Amino acid sequence: MSAGPALWARLSSTLMLERRETRLLLASATADSFGTGIFTATSVLFFTQIRGFDVTSVGLAISLGSLCAFVFSPRIGRLADRVGVKKSLITLFLIRAVGYALYVLATQYWLFAVLACLVTTADRSSPPINMTVMGRLFEAKERATILGTMYTARNGAIVLGSLTATLPVVTGSTVLYMMGVVINAATFIAAALLVARLQVPEPATTETGGKRERSGRSSPLRDPRYLAITVVNGVSMSHNTILSLVLPLWVTQATSAPSWGLTTLLALNGVLAMSAQVPVNRRFANFTAALRAPVFGGMAVFVACLAYAVSGEVSQGWVALAVLMVAMVAHTAGECLFTASTPLSYDLAPKESLAQYQSFYNLGRVGQDLVGPVLIVAPLVKHGTPLWVLIGAAVLAAGLVPKAVLSRHHLATAGEVGR
């Protein structure tokens, strides 16, 4: 066998691409994320320039959507455990398809706001149900591998979608903007059809007195350990707020880096994340190892925040860009390490209530989306160094919590729940 086919065979084996479940999940994630990439790159312009809504109104509708997601996504997770995660995920994909398609008809603000609440709730509810599907299909190191591979596929598809979105953005064509919205909706139908081909095992339930009876903890709210990792997830997601909202403003307004520096930094983040996530996930695949991932992740984000602060203090453009690149390497390392701590959310959850617990864990990210822009973006750009240090320290402190709280329980946890 020549080097090329041999390398592909080894890669295919490592990433489990020979398994039908892996291929279907990756194809579904790629379709979903390609449409997301198109919509993310064009949505604000579509609603402001094509539909004529002002930026403040658009932001308010999106915030209302995030609030709805925060309230309803745990309930959707609990429902998914009852009716089946595969059926629930397909339903959410179809709701997203219909909701996004109706944006084409949303010429009135009230309809836009209602649709924003609907699609944002479905958007934020889908990932934990998808994670539950993976939890049903894969175990331990296999699950870490598929999570890392899916992360890489999603990032690549989002980049392709963003590049595709260049056409309507450059031309300003209403028709092309509409096509982008419709294509995004169609990708969710494709994702639903792919998930429908999966054979997803569901945990056994018993009927007692006409009610479905499930073992395990009734609610993650009653589990201090799960509450702790959910809060940590929310604080750690500051890295996402920094990347998507703070960095564009910081690089262009607070540093002397060249104007093209932002694109370079985002490309560096994408390349590093896609290259590193699978091996990092595999390195921290079990519960004990996953306890260490947030520690290292917090350290990396703290270093990144210090470097971002320094970048605003230097006057030479190339030096500022070099410091920003150091910051981005550390930032990406922290991002990958916090993602690699995901086994904690599986191992601490009763298997029969996995969707409910995953949805609760995802509230950390939803909460960051809700409050992060207010608490982080404007203060960071305005106050600079002190806020960078404070946020870096907060993420560092959060990263220490899982090991401090959970290390003495890991043997019991690994043996008693989530298995």
Side-chain angles (χ1 to χ4, degrees):
M1 184 181 290
S2 62
L7 179 61
W8 170 250
R10 182 177 178 183
L11 182 65
S12 179
S13 176
T14 300
L15 300 182
M16 303 182 299
L17 297 180
E18 72 279 0
R19 290 183 59 169
R20 182 172 179 270
E21 299 95 327
T22 302
R23 297 194 301 272
L24 287 172
L25 282 171
L26 290 178
S28 173
T30 300
D32 175 347
S33 300
F34 176 74
T36 298
I38 294 176
F39 189 78
T40 301
T42 59
S43 59
V44 173
L45 294 175
F46 174 73
F47 293 126
T48 55
Q49 296 183 8
I50 305 301
R51 285 290 173 247
F53 306 134
D54 63 82
V55 174
T56 302
S57 297
V58 172
L60 176 61
I62 293 172
S63 296
L64 286 173
S66 295
L67 183 60
C68 288
F70 191 85
V71 172
F72 290 109
S73 59
R75 292 167 172 80
I76 292 172
R78 188 163 59 247
L79 180 63
D81 282 321
R82 294 178 181 175
V83 303
V85 292
K86 174 182 170 180
K87 185 186 300 183
S88 300
L89 184 58
I90 291 171
T91 301
L92 286 169
F93 276 135
L94 295 178
I95 289 172
R96 295 165 80 186
V98 173
Y100 277 107
L102 288 176
Y103 272 140
V104 172
L105 305 177
T107 56
Q108 295 178 301
Y109 180 75
W110 70 267
L111 179 56
F112 163 61
V114 169
L115 290 173
C117 291
L118 176 68
V119 299
T120 303
T121 300
D123 281 344
R124 298 296 183 268
S125 300
S126 295
I129 307 301
N130 199 31
M131 296 277 282
T132 305
V133 169
M134 287 186 282
R136 300 270 191 257
L137 292 171
F138 300 94
E139 294 291 340
K141 199 163 189 175
E142 287 184 345
R143 190 166 57 220
T145 299
I146 187 62
L147 285 170
T149 308
M150 184 168 287
Y151 180 90
T152 300
R154 285 191 181 279
N155 275 287
I158 287 173
V159 170
L160 290 176
S162 299
L163 291 174
T164 304
T166 303
L167 194 55
V169 171
V170 170
T171 62
S173 168
T174 299
V175 173
L176 291 178
Y177 271 111
M178 295 284 195
M179 287 180 62
V181 174
V182 172
I183 289 171
N184 180 41
T187 62
F188 296 119
I189 296 175
L193 291 173
L194 290 163
V195 170
R197 298 175 63 190
L198 288 169
Q199 297 295 323
V200 182
E202 298 287 351
T205 60
T206 60
E207 298 288 337
T208 302
K211 294 182 179 179
R212 292 168 70 89
E213 192 177 79
R214 294 180 181 274
S215 62
R217 299 180 182 88
S218 59
S219 170
L221 283 169
R222 297 190 180 97
D223 186 344
R225 296 175 300 173
Y226 217 84
L227 281 169
I229 64 168
T230 299
V231 172
V232 168
N233 187 39
V235 175
S236 72
M237 288 306 297
S238 298
H239 70 72
N240 193 58
T241 302
I242 290 170
L243 185 68
S244 60
L245 300 177
V246 174
L247 202 59
L249 297 173
W250 182 259
V251 172
T252 56
Q253 297 181 16
T255 77
S256 57
S259 57
W260 47 265
L262 176 62
T263 305
T264 302
L265 292 169
L266 294 176
L268 178 63
N269 171 261
V271 170
L272 290 176
M274 286 189 289
S275 302
Q277 193 65 68
V278 172
V280 171
N281 271 26
R282 289 171 65 85
R283 175 66 179 82
F284 295 96
N286 63 61
F287 188 88
T288 306
L291 287 174
R292 298 193 297 269
V295 177
F296 297 134
M299 292 177 180
V301 172
F302 182 68
V303 170
C305 287
L306 293 181
Y308 284 133
V310 171
S311 71
E313 302 295 330
V314 297
S315 57
Q316 295 86 359
W318 286 97
V319 176
L321 180 59
V323 175
L324 285 168
M325 292 182 75
V326 171
M328 184 53 73
V329 171
H331 185 142
T332 307
E335 178 183 349
C336 291
L337 286 160
F338 275 115
T339 300
S341 68
T342 302
L344 301 178
S345 71
Y346 283 104
D347 292 338
L348 289 173
K351 190 173 183 179
E352 65 279 358
S353 300
L354 187 56
Q356 178 187 358
Y357 275 66
Q358 283 292 324
S359 296
F360 186 85
Y361 181 71
N362 194 56
L363 286 183
R365 177 162 194 167
V366 178
Q368 177 65 220
D369 290 344
L370 194 58
V371 304
V374 176
L375 296 181
I376 294 177
V377 180
L380 261 183
V381 175
K382 181 177 180 180
H383 298 289
T385 299
L387 263 296
W388 278 117
V389 175
L390 179 61
I391 290 171
V395 176
L396 174 60
L400 299 174
V401 169
K403 189 168 179 61
V405 172
L406 302 174
S407 57
R408 69 175 181 268
H409 297 294
H410 77 271
L411 291 177
T413 300
E416 295 174 8
V417 299
R419 298 297 183 188

